[in-house]
Amino acid sequence: MENTFYKCPACGTTLRYSASSGKLACDSCGNQYELSEMEAAASSNVFRASFDWGDYKANLRPNTDTKVYICKFCGAQILTDSTTAATHCPYCDNEVVINDAFDGGLRPNGIIPFRITKDRLKEIVNSFGKGKKLLPRDFFTNKRIGDVQGVYVPFWLFDGTVDGWMVFDAKKEREFTEGEYRVKETSYYSLGRQGSLSFRNVPIDGAEKMDDAMMDSLGPYNFDEVVDFQTAYLSGFLADRFDRDPDQSIGRAEELMMASTENRFRSTTSSYTGVEVNRKSLNLQSPSVRYVLLPVYIINCKYDGKEYRYAVNGQTGKMVGALPVSKERKRAYFWGVFGGVTAVLGALLCLL
Amino acid sequence: MKKRFILMCMLVLMLFGAVSYSEPARAMEAEAVSVMGDTVISADVVFPDHLKTDDAEKGEEKSSRKKDKDDDEKGEKSYVKRIIVAAVIGLISAAITISIMKSGMNNVARSRAASDYIVKDSFRLTGNEDRFLRTEVEKKKKN
């Protein structure tokens, strides 16, 4: 998504859309510019917003009381406390994990501890397959699931306010009868909206190896339960080290915040039809970031020669993943529905 | 919800099939009656009672048998058509049912917005202008 903003040619201040004049106004020097003028010059002036992340790195202290395992098969770097031994890699499910000479890693700003126990996890897994008619009956067996590992996944939590304006093209339609004519009247409008919307704790996972869609689907987390990080929380669990820094993650956070802001602006145009964005200028103001570890159970299953991975939110118990489809059951349902509908409908049609 | 949706789809398809087929079926019956009526009248005109010969009576019988045979064939064809329509609707219903069932097997999707993380009551609408541009009027004479 390309979000653009315009600078005042006179003083360099970011221009704002003035709903009253329909022009781009400079708050600093008071100049006003036609949108078409600025758009004509846009090719040379448009640039992506750049972000000043302040001193987030300074807030991340080295962690001296953890150790790091590196999986020699997939290269995952796994953190744990000094008393927990990593027996297998949560990503590739390989049993061989070697202990590397690394120590520490960056100390997270916060952590949400695991709330879901292993017993509760079993119930969640069982109920996940319930009602799924196409699921092979023997898929979620204890033997197949094997050991389930709780992993703390590194997330960046972004805060910020999206500020800007949007111009929509819209119309209102009305149909009526006038004598012997049917009349269709279409009125066209230009809708200007200016405002801001704030966001808190937009989570973007910082682990390259984690499936982004899967991590997105695990939310929302209740971030009121974020506590200060202490190594003791890692006892019995593993933690991944981030390998995607905030600068690499901000694009995604910005995209999500912009989309929500656009939706919010759009919701103010509900009395119109055919609403389409004509132009916009949205900027993320005063962004900030925190590094937190969020609890996730990773379940790897092998079935019919394929590998399936599931994730369970360790705080809320929400489980996500793609289930396999049993060919036999699919066939049985297809022909069952086909036979049933054909028989009933055929009988009905022949009786009529 | 999904089960209800599937049932609704099937019901709609069945009703659609029944309605779309009952009309032509009735029309065909009406047509058959009128065709038969015409023939009888025409037989009366061509062969009035006082002019009827044995050959004419035989011919009338023959043509009546032929008509019956044609009607039977028409009826059989119409049943075959009905069953084909039912089978096609059955296939479509089965395909829809399976695709709905398959879509329920995967709940992984990328987020498209950050709506879960909006700060409550933080939306500030500082500018709001609806500018009227023009009106287009289209007139059509009623039929």
Side-chain angles (χ1 to χ4, degrees):
Chain A
M1 194 173 84
E2 190 79 357
N3 295 296
T4 59
F5 61 93
Y6 302 103
K7 295 270 186 184
C8 175
C11 66
T13 306
T14 302
L15 297 174
R16 289 173 182 277
Y17 174 75
S18 164
S20 54
S21 66
K23 291 179 178 177
L24 290 169
C26 177
D27 291 339
S28 179
C29 62
N31 283 328
Q32 293 203 335
Y33 304 92
E34 287 292 342
L35 284 166
S36 52
E37 268 178 51
M38 295 310 293
E39 274 180 347
S43 56
S44 56
N45 289 336
V46 171
F47 54 94
R48 281 186 66 80
S50 59
F51 299 95
D52 176 12
W53 290 108
D55 57 354
Y56 80 90
K57 277 180 184 164
N59 293 326
L60 301 170
R61 287 169 286 142
N63 217 1
T64 51
D65 44 3
T66 55
K67 60 182 177 183
V68 178
Y69 288 84
I70 295 182
C71 174
K72 68 178 179 182
F73 284 89
C74 73
Q77 295 186 19
I78 304 145
L79 243 79
T80 189
D81 70 332
S82 52
T83 59
T84 304
T87 55
H88 69 275
C89 174
Y91 294 102
C92 64
D93 210 24
N94 203 297
E95 301 251 334
V96 185
V97 176
I98 58 164
N99 193 351
D100 199 81
F102 282 105
D103 267 336
L106 288 176
R107 191 181 177 86
N109 300 123
I111 186 170
I112 293 182
F114 273 91
R115 278 190 170 274
I116 303 295
T117 62
K118 291 266 173 100
D119 288 340
R120 176 84 185 97
L121 185 65
K122 276 182 191 166
E123 290 171 23
I124 291 166
V125 171
N126 286 334
S127 62
F128 186 65
K130 269 185 189 164
K132 306 283 193 299
K133 309 275 188 206
L134 300 181
L135 182 70
R137 278 180 190 165
D138 58 342
F139 185 64
F140 278 129
T141 59
N142 288 340
K143 193 182 166 191
R144 206 182 305 283
I145 291 173
D147 283 339
V148 176
Q149 186 61 62
V151 182
Y152 282 106
V153 179
F155 272 81
W156 299 108
L157 300 187
F158 293 95
D159 296 349
T161 297
V162 176
D163 181 68
W165 55 263
M166 294 184 77
V167 177
F168 298 95
D169 290 334
K171 58 187 175 185
K172 275 186 179 175
E173 287 170 329
R174 175 169 96 93
E175 278 187 40
F176 55 93
T177 308
E178 202 176 76
E180 56 183 10
Y181 290 96
R182 282 206 65 77
V183 182
K184 188 181 172 189
E185 188 184 277
T186 310
S187 301
Y188 294 88
Y189 294 84
S190 174
L191 315 177
R193 299 288 184 269
Q194 185 176 353
S196 63
L197 187 61
S198 298
F199 297 85
R200 184 156 169 75
N201 296 325
V202 178
I204 305 294
D205 81 272
E208 198 76 55
K209 286 193 176 303
M210 279 291 179
D211 184 285
D212 292 339
M214 193 173 257
M215 291 301 105
D216 278 357
S217 309
L218 276 178
Y221 282 87
N222 177 8
F223 291 108
D224 292 341
E225 291 184 6
V226 172
V227 294
D228 286 341
F229 176 78
Q230 286 175 25
T231 311
Y233 287 119
L234 294 186
S235 184
F237 298 103
L238 305 177
D240 195 1
R241 283 218 301 196
F242 75 84
D243 47 11
R244 207 160 35 192
D245 65 31
D247 292 328
Q248 290 169 290
S249 308
I250 178 61
R252 175 79 181 133
E254 183 193 20
E255 190 184 309
L256 296 174
M257 290 190 238
M258 296 290 181
S260 283
T261 309
E262 193 170 321
N263 290 343
R264 198 68 188 80
F265 277 137
R266 194 180 276 272
S267 71
T268 64
T269 64
S270 56
S271 57
Y272 295 88
T273 57
V275 178
E276 279 177 24
V277 178
N278 180 304
R279 51 189 176 266
K280 64 183 175 184
S281 169
L282 298 173
N283 305 302
L284 184 58
Q285 308 287 350
S286 49
S288 64
V289 66
R290 282 186 299 159
Y291 172 36
V292 297
L293 296 180
L294 302 183
V296 178
Y297 283 107
I298 301 289
I299 302 167
N300 292 305
C301 297
K302 279 179 189 161
Y303 187 82
D304 209 12
K306 282 186 188 171
E307 293 200 1
Y308 295 89
R309 177 179 288 178
Y310 300 92
V312 178
N313 183 320
Q315 182 193 36
T316 63
K318 182 181 182 184
M319 183 168 173
V320 298
L323 292 165
V325 173
S326 157
K327 282 178 188 165
E328 291 76 26
R329 302 193 107 194
K330 190 171 99 175
R331 217 173 289 141
Y333 273 100
F334 182 88
W335 291 115
V337 172
F338 168 72
V341 172
T342 307
V344 173
L345 191 57
L348 268 173
L349 289 176
C350 289
L351 286 172
L352 284 168
Chain B
M1 274 299 282
K2 276 171 192 161
K3 276 182 190 168
R4 261 189 227 161
F5 180 71
I6 294 167
L7 283 172
M8 284 291 290
C9 282
M10 284 179 191
L11 198 66
V12 168
L13 282 168
M14 285 161 79
L15 282 172
F16 171 75
V19 169
S20 61
Y21 230 86
S22 62
E23 286 301 321
R26 278 191 207 119
M28 276 173 72
E29 276 169 26
E31 197 184 330
V33 168
S34 95
V35 167
M36 283 169 77
D38 285 349
T39 317
V40 171
I41 290 162
S42 129
D44 284 346
V45 172
V46 177
F47 303 109
D49 284 346
H50 65 281
L51 291 177
K52 267 186 185 171
T53 61
D54 287 351
D55 287 347
E57 275 171 12
K58 275 178 192 171
E60 197 179 339
E61 261 177 49
K62 213 175 175 181
S63 83
S64 166
R65 259 183 267 136
K66 198 183 169 189
K67 269 174 252 151
D68 289 346
K69 203 179 166 187
D70 286 350
D71 291 343
D72 287 348
E73 274 175 14
K74 269 186 187 174
E76 274 171 31
K77 273 184 187 172
S78 115
Y79 279 119
V80 170
K81 270 189 184 175
R82 290 172 200 207
I83 288 162
I84 289 171
V85 168
V88 169
I89 293 173
L91 270 177
I92 295 167
S93 306
I96 292 171
T97 307
I98 295 298
S99 65
I100 290 169
M101 286 168 102
K102 274 177 91 173
S103 70
M105 302 292 279
N106 187 357
N107 64 349
V108 175
R110 292 222 76 177
S111 297
R112 292 186 172 187
S115 48
D116 288 326
Y117 308 102
I118 293 172
V119 176
K120 206 180 168 190
D121 301 326
S122 67
F123 182 55
R124 301 270 175 275
L125 192 64
T126 53
N128 182 7
E129 188 190 54
D130 297 1
R131 188 184 293 177
F132 169 74
L133 300 175
R134 67 184 191 281
T135 293
E136 282 176 9
V137 180
E138 200 181 306
K139 280 186 178 181
K140 269 186 190 168
K141 204 165 192 176
K142 281 196 285 185
N143 291 328

